[in-house]
Amino acid sequence: MSKVSMSGSNDFCPQCLYLYGTYKENGEPNYGLFCWATYCWDEGLKFVACIGQDKLTRDRIRAEGVFSASVVSEALLPAADFCGTHPGYEFDKSEKVESEKGGVLNVPVPKASPWTLELQVDKTLHLDDKKESEIYICTIKNVMAEEYLAGDVDFEKRLRQAAPVISVSDKYLSINPAPLGDWGSMG
């Protein structure tokens, strides 16, 4: 087979979907759907998030310096999709996602998410001169997880139970937790 050159795209960049949660100035929860996220190591495990457009979520992160990042499960996907396609400036999303308060930080946590990180922004990197596109490097202050994810159950079973959704290109996909091997066992 021969290779061809193509323009850059996210066609082969599978990413976990997260609802980023903040409180609006009036105290109501607000959520945005994001997938431009990853992890890094900087004197401990950090969460890295990028927001590249005007969003109420970004405004609230800037104002408070904290937010939640909740894994979107298959059950949570319809509400998450609404949050991702309706601007927080124009729509009240608090009725779409039943929430509770974080365990450590003052952030909303979706009751239907199996795994939520409570995040404190440590560093903000501006990617453009207008300071509209930002990367946040965050300390994970707490994880709110369903009890079944904290048990002594094997990883594949926990993954099936949590049913996280990933995004590739403009599609939502489920994860098939069929293991291909462990690190170091392939070579």
Side-chain angles (χ1 to χ4, degrees):
M1 289 205 208
S2 60
K3 306 268 188 212
V4 297
S5 293
M6 298 175 61
S7 60
S9 75
N10 66 340
D11 284 353
F12 286 93
C13 298
Q15 296 178 288
C16 189
L17 287 174
Y18 294 93
L19 274 180
Y20 293 172
T22 58
Y23 283 115
K24 296 190 277 188
E25 288 185 56
N26 67 6
E28 291 178 345
N30 178 69
Y31 292 99
L33 180 62
F34 298 91
C35 66
W36 305 111
T38 191
Y39 297 86
C40 71
W41 190 267
D42 180 19
E43 298 180 15
L45 183 66
K46 304 283 183 164
F47 186 83
V48 181
C50 181
I51 299 179
Q53 298 173 324
D54 282 336
K55 303 238 181 240
L56 180 59
T57 303
R58 185 190 66 190
D59 294 347
R60 300 309 303 150
I61 292 171
R62 284 176 172 171
E64 301 297 325
V66 295
F67 66 104
S68 61
S70 301
V71 170
V72 175
S73 64
E74 292 176 22
L76 186 55
L77 183 58
D81 181 71
F82 177 88
C83 291
T85 57
H86 292 78
Y89 300 122
E90 300 170 25
F91 293 89
D92 178 9
K93 302 177 190 180
S94 63
E95 295 179 9
K96 294 290 183 183
V97 180
E98 189 178 359
S99 300
E100 57 191 358
K101 287 193 178 268
V104 172
L105 297 177
N106 186 31
V107 294
V109 173
K111 287 186 176 182
S113 176
W115 189 271
T116 297
L117 304 169
E118 295 179 49
L119 304 168
Q120 180 177 334
V121 177
D122 291 336
K123 297 174 188 165
T124 301
L125 306 171
H126 300 283
L127 300 177
D128 62 339
D129 292 338
K130 296 179 187 177
K131 296 186 177 182
E132 292 177 351
S133 187
E134 298 175 344
I135 293 176
Y136 306 109
I137 301 174
C138 308
T139 296
I140 301 167
K141 290 297 199 175
N142 189 41
V143 178
M144 298 285 289
E146 290 293 335
E147 192 173 344
Y148 64 82
L149 294 175
D152 229 6
V153 180
D154 72 351
F155 176 74
E156 290 83 12
K157 184 172 182 180
R158 288 185 291 149
L159 194 59
R160 277 191 298 278
Q161 289 176 311
V165 175
I166 62 170
S167 176
V168 179
S169 188
D170 61 355
K171 305 287 183 215
Y172 298 130
L173 302 167
S174 61
I175 291 178
N176 176 6
L180 302 174
D182 294 333
W183 287 1
S185 69
M186 306 300 289

